[in-house]
Amino acid sequence: MAFFSNIRRFHRHNVYTLRSSPLSELSGALGDLGTLLPLMITLAVNGSISLSTTLVFSGFYNLVTGIVFGIPLPVQPMKAIAAAAIASHTSLRETMAAGSVTSIVVLVLSVTGLLQWVTRVIPVPVIKGIQFGAGLSLIISAGTSLLRPLVWFLPWPLDNRIWALLAFLSLIATQRLPRFPYALIVFLVGIILAFVILTTDHLGHGQHYALPWFRFWSPYTVIPNWSPDAIGMGIAQLPLTTLNSVIAASALAYDLLPNLPNPSVTELGISVALMNLLGCWFGAMPVCHGAGGLAAQYRFGARSGASIILLGLFKIVLGLVLGESLLGLIQAFPKSLLGIMVIAAGLELAKVGQSLNHGATDLWESSIEPSGRVHRRVSDEERLERWTVMLVTTAGILAFKNDAVGFLAGLACHGAYKIAEWIERKRRNDEMRPLLNT
């Protein structure tokens, strides 16, 4: 009953939010394009996924997610699988197998309660470190892969550092206007520029792509190929999915939208598993939820599930009607604009670190106050320890480009502090024992 009650509440919230601020919801829906487009384009060009099927299925996932969870929870690529598939030009069947391997393990962890248990025992500073590290990773990725290769003006006047600078200045100028439809405006400008690029200099690289035209979706089934490489790709994705796409996303939803029922890690884990166990039989890109995408969509105005419901409907229509013919247009989308959108998403995600020592979930205690809880007082020493654990976690992620390394480093740092605390407490007890015996 609680499930259906929440859906009714989400429906009312979605409708009210869309009616009160439609442009903000539309803008927020496009906030995660900086993560989605580069990976989806490259995978489609390499033949590792079906573009039309990915649009249809991911659009359907967006639609269901917005209805069931009622928050702007993203549907984004599984980044570790995408990176490995791009690097090795993995076949369609192997990419589907990798996504299914990750999903099967996540499903087992979710339904057995192990994922919930893991969440309870992971220290909050480590979770904050994962979020902070993911945000900084997005910023670094935008700078190295999207913005750094750009030139200042010629020979590509429609996608260069001038456009990136203008987009960045506009982002800064609208910082105090959270409902300003920045992403919507940037998206529309990017689409116009992409059309001009396609009809003039063809990306400036000698590549020629046709403009989008009607090409109706023709679904087909795919038998995954569970080769050793595919299984290895799926296992490599596990730390990123469980830590960032499930645990960190659940915690971030509480931080950003505390007045709404937030999805538990079990619900998110089951959601990720079901999405891919369905899509992997039809050639859809392996997807998950993610803290970075949630931060991006929130940053650009999304405050309800209505934003991703609109995005889902848009993607379904594109996939059904235009399909593979969209490849040229989305590949021509200016990287200068995408890069700034990714930076904005990274900044929003990294900002959650500010609540580490004030407002974090583990700092609230039950009380007889009318609110039912009170914020625990944190000593300067504990503040420093929590901050250090978060930074060690973040440093591990950035240094090794691996969430699992950062997670283990953060746990080791937290454990070292706890051992030191236990030793100090034991020493004090030993000193007090003779006095108590006299």
Side-chain angles (χ1 to χ4, degrees):
M1 290 297 294
F3 175 77
F4 294 105
S5 176
N6 282 341
I7 287 184
R8 286 194 293 269
R9 178 179 176 182
F10 292 146
H11 174 70
R12 291 193 297 269
H13 177 67
N14 290 344
V15 172
Y16 171 78
T17 307
L18 183 60
R19 286 178 175 175
S20 61
S21 51
L23 287 180
S24 294
E25 292 296 296
L26 278 171
S27 179
L30 303 171
D32 197 33
L33 289 182
T35 300
L36 174 67
L37 289 186
L39 295 177
M40 184 174 69
I41 292 169
T42 310
L43 288 171
V45 169
N46 289 349
S48 299
I49 63 169
S50 165
L51 177 61
S52 56
T53 301
T54 295
L55 288 171
V56 172
F57 273 79
S58 64
F60 174 71
Y61 303 151
N62 281 130
L63 189 65
V64 174
T65 298
I67 293 172
V68 172
F69 295 121
I71 61 174
L73 192 66
V75 174
Q76 55 185 199
M78 286 188 173
K79 298 181 185 64
I81 289 179
I86 291 169
S88 57
H89 290 267
T90 304
S91 68
L92 177 66
R93 294 177 60 204
E94 285 185 312
T95 306
M96 298 304 102
S100 65
V101 167
T102 303
S103 300
I104 290 171
V105 177
V106 171
L107 182 62
V108 172
L109 292 174
S110 300
V111 298
T112 58
L114 287 174
L115 200 54
Q116 188 70 42
W117 175 82
V118 168
T119 305
R120 287 197 302 269
V121 300
I122 295 177
V124 168
V126 175
I127 295 176
K128 292 288 185 182
I130 294 170
Q131 295 171 327
F132 191 47
L136 295 182
S137 295
L138 284 176
I139 296 171
I140 293 171
S141 174
T144 55
S145 63
L146 294 174
L147 299 179
R148 185 183 296 172
L150 298 176
V151 296
W152 274 108
F153 189 72
L154 295 174
W156 303 296
L158 298 181
D159 186 16
N160 53 47
R161 293 181 182 179
I162 301 296
W163 286 100
L165 181 60
L166 292 174
F168 180 73
L169 293 176
S170 300
L171 178 69
I172 297 300
T174 57
Q175 282 291 303
R176 292 185 175 272
L177 302 172
R179 295 303 181 94
F180 181 81
Y182 176 87
L184 178 61
I185 293 173
V186 169
F187 175 74
L188 293 176
V189 171
I191 289 294
I192 293 172
L193 292 177
F195 268 108
V196 174
I197 289 171
L198 283 180
T199 55
T200 54
D201 67 349
H202 301 287
L203 305 183
H205 298 288
Q207 296 173 306
H208 297 270
Y209 294 94
L211 289 169
W213 191 245
F214 293 109
R215 186 179 297 181
F216 294 102
W217 182 47
S218 178
Y220 55 89
T221 56
V222 175
I223 305 299
N225 177 16
W226 287 282
S227 66
D229 288 341
I231 294 173
M233 288 165 57
I235 293 174
Q237 174 67 40
L238 271 173
L240 190 59
T241 295
T242 54
L243 297 175
N244 184 48
S245 302
V246 177
I247 295 174
S250 178
L252 183 64
Y254 177 84
D255 290 337
L256 298 180
L257 301 161
N259 296 322
L260 289 175
N262 301 123
S264 67
V265 292
T266 300
E267 292 169 339
L268 291 184
I270 292 175
S271 175
V272 169
L274 294 181
M275 286 191 300
N276 293 288
L277 292 178
L278 172 64
C280 71
W281 298 99
F282 297 92
M285 177 176 62
V287 294
C288 59
H289 304 302
L294 175 57
Q297 290 170 170
Y298 182 89
R299 165 63 184 81
F300 292 119
R303 296 295 184 272
S304 76
S307 61
I308 55 172
I309 290 175
L310 294 174
L311 177 63
L313 293 173
F314 181 61
K315 287 160 71 174
I316 290 172
V317 171
L318 287 180
L320 290 176
V321 177
L322 298 176
E324 310 297 331
S325 71
L326 284 167
L327 189 59
L329 179 66
I330 58 179
Q331 190 159 11
F333 196 95
K335 291 181 174 58
S336 53
L337 303 184
L338 276 180
I340 301 303
M341 291 179 69
V342 174
I343 286 176
L347 290 173
E348 187 66 31
L349 182 54
K351 282 197 307 185
V352 302
Q354 68 182 341
S355 65
L356 173 67
N357 290 318
H358 186 80
T361 54
D362 62 333
L363 298 180
W364 292 98
E365 298 176 336
S366 300
S367 74
I368 58 174
E369 299 291 328
S371 62
R373 60 178 190 163
V374 64
H375 197 277
R376 178 168 64 84
R377 184 170 183 148
V378 185
S379 67
D380 290 340
E381 183 180 6
E382 185 180 359
R383 286 176 184 272
L384 178 60
E385 290 179 1
R386 290 167 64 86
W387 182 251
T388 303
V389 171
M390 187 184 79
L391 289 185
V392 167
T393 305
T394 300
I397 292 172
L398 297 180
F400 293 91
K401 297 182 179 179
N402 190 308
D403 282 32
V405 173
F407 171 69
L408 293 175
L411 282 183
C413 183
H414 175 80
Y417 278 126
K418 289 301 180 183
I419 292 172
E421 180 183 338
W422 176 80
I423 293 173
E424 178 64 19
R425 189 167 55 248
K426 186 175 184 304
R427 183 186 64 80
R428 289 177 181 175
N429 290 338
D430 290 341
E431 290 177 352
M432 291 293 296
R433 189 173 293 114
L435 298 176
L436 295 175
N437 292 334
T438 56

